[in-house]
Amino acid sequence: MANKALATRQKMQFRVEPSQKPRNPYAALAKNRAAGPHAKPVSAQRQAAKAALKKIDPAQSDDD
């Protein structure tokens, strides 16, 4: 222990003070109105429909 004064020194403390200006009321409204997921493109829907048609067994769907 070369320097005993370091152990007895007052520790640094950080104080968080409340903000002085009020919060923006429009920011809270905009956050609640945030956009959700977008619709799939037409080409993605077409590909999904085409893949679904390939999964269907043609022998089961015949009414003859």
Side-chain angles (χ1 to χ4, degrees):
M1 285 212 211
N3 194 350
K4 291 183 181 179
L6 286 177
T8 60
R9 212 187 319 174
Q10 185 178 7
K11 304 286 188 246
M12 187 184 307
Q13 295 178 350
F14 293 103
R15 200 172 3 163
V16 179
E17 296 180 14
S19 62
Q20 300 296 349
K21 60 183 186 177
R23 288 178 170 253
N24 184 357
Y26 297 109
L29 294 174
K31 188 174 183 180
N32 289 339
R33 197 177 56 237
H38 294 275
K40 289 189 177 184
V42 176
S43 61
Q45 293 174 354
R46 184 175 56 244
Q47 288 176 359
K50 194 173 182 181
L53 279 176
K54 283 188 174 184
K55 286 185 178 181
I56 297 174
D57 188 17
Q60 292 178 352
S61 63
D62 286 340
D63 291 336
D64 295 340

